Amino acid sequence: EPEVTQTPSHQVTQMGQEVILRCVPISNHLYFYWYRQILGQKVEFLVSFYNNEISEKSEIFDDQFSVERPDGSNFTLKIRSTKLEDSAMYFCASIGREGRDTQYFGPGTRLTVL
Amino acid sequence: GIQVEQSPPDLILQEGANSTLRCNFSDSVNNLQWFHQNPWGQLINLFYIPSGTKQNGRLSATTVATERYSLLYISSSQTTDSGVYFCAPNTNAGKSTFGDGTTLTVKP
């Protein structure tokens, strides 16, 4: 069974600091996504990425957020200046064929902003 | 965007009982997935089911895309089935829209 991996599993940071969350999608997948889940709430879409550019983003994904695929394997989410309300579980996901295949989710990174 | 409603929001069962979880969605979808979120927060994919019926052990799922709903059946429930179950339809945009989830508690 193919899997998406994410690092770190848990990150604690001080408010105002920059964080980078890392994901390694499944190797032959073409479409990549970030979602977040605030504790006790549902999973929310942040951004989708295809062909080295953002294809869709939600209103949550403001100027403090950015995504990058720096090489052929990694997919990163950067938060420039973290706020307390950024504390959440962040999930990376990937699909081989957009909307027509299983979307595989990583195990998540729990971000705690103090 | 697409609206997703899951019911019931909470469900408490005795071990061995059967249950049905429902997911209604407001728009046409390319596919739909059911997830179980375990106590560590991981999303475990249960089914990829854009239409029809699938079974995997004690779990089965049915999606009637024309009527915009999906059902997840859990038979002979076990305490390890406890957790939150999410339905997530996926549209042309490729993104998944999650429902609020059903929190299942199975008591021994």
Side-chain angles (χ1 to χ4, degrees):
Chain A
E1 173 87 351
E3 62 176 19
V4 175
T5 59
Q6 290 185 244
T7 55
S9 56
H10 191 190
Q11 175 138 11
V12 181
T13 190
Q14 295 292 323
M15 190 170 56
Q17 294 296 301
E18 173 183 287
V19 296
I20 297 176
L21 310 183
R22 291 181 169 80
C23 168
V24 178
I26 293 168
S27 61
N28 61 348
H29 282 189
L30 301 175
Y31 300 86
F32 313 110
Y33 308 83
W34 283 101
Y35 296 81
R36 81 169 187 190
Q37 184 183 30
I38 294 171
L39 187 64
Q41 299 185 18
K42 66 181 177 184
V43 179
E44 302 172 288
F45 167 77
L46 289 178
V47 65
S48 57
F49 191 86
Y50 169 69
N51 200 26
N52 281 321
E53 60 182 26
I54 291 173
S55 47
E56 185 176 354
K57 60 183 180 180
S58 71
E59 61 273 14
I60 302 168
F61 194 88
D62 61 23
D63 292 344
Q64 292 299 314
F65 292 88
S66 62
V67 289
E68 192 178 33
R69 189 156 161 80
D71 53 42
S73 58
N74 290 286
F75 180 49
T76 62
L77 174 69
K78 181 192 290 186
I79 309 175
R80 290 190 182 83
S81 178
T82 50
K83 307 181 186 71
L84 294 177
E85 54 265 36
D86 293 328
S87 294
M89 180 79 98
Y90 289 81
F91 295 100
C92 172
S94 67
I95 296 180
R97 297 174 298 160
E98 184 176 28
R100 290 169 179 80
D101 204 349
T102 301
Q103 190 168 61
Y104 289 86
F105 280 74
T109 292
R110 186 170 297 283
L111 177 65
T112 302
V113 182
L114 302 177
Chain B
I2 187 170
Q3 303 298 310
V4 183
E5 291 183 3
Q6 289 188 243
S7 60
D10 299 281
L11 186 58
I12 301 174
L13 300 173
Q14 285 298 129
E15 203 167 25
N18 303 328
S19 61
T20 301
L21 281 58
R22 186 177 180 102
C23 172
N24 293 331
F25 43 95
S26 62
D27 208 346
S28 301
V29 298
N30 278 343
N31 72 50
L32 183 143
Q33 288 179 247
W34 282 95
F35 295 92
H36 176 214
Q37 189 161 42
N38 67 18
W40 297 271
Q42 295 176 339
L43 292 169
I44 309 300
N45 180 57
L46 298 176
F47 292 101
Y48 162 77
I49 184 162
S51 63
T53 298
K54 289 186 178 179
Q55 180 151 10
N56 184 4
R58 297 181 295 103
L59 303 182
S60 64
T62 295
T63 297
V64 184
T66 53
E67 296 186 23
R68 299 182 182 170
Y69 73 89
S70 184
L71 303 173
L72 178 69
Y73 305 95
I74 304 174
S75 64
S76 303
S77 56
Q78 300 175 358
T79 56
T80 51
D81 294 331
S82 296
V84 184
Y85 290 80
F86 289 105
C87 154
N90 187 300
T91 65
N92 280 329
K95 71 180 185 186
S96 293
T97 300
F98 283 73
D100 287 336
T102 291
T103 300
L104 174 65
T105 303
V106 181
K107 295 188 172 182

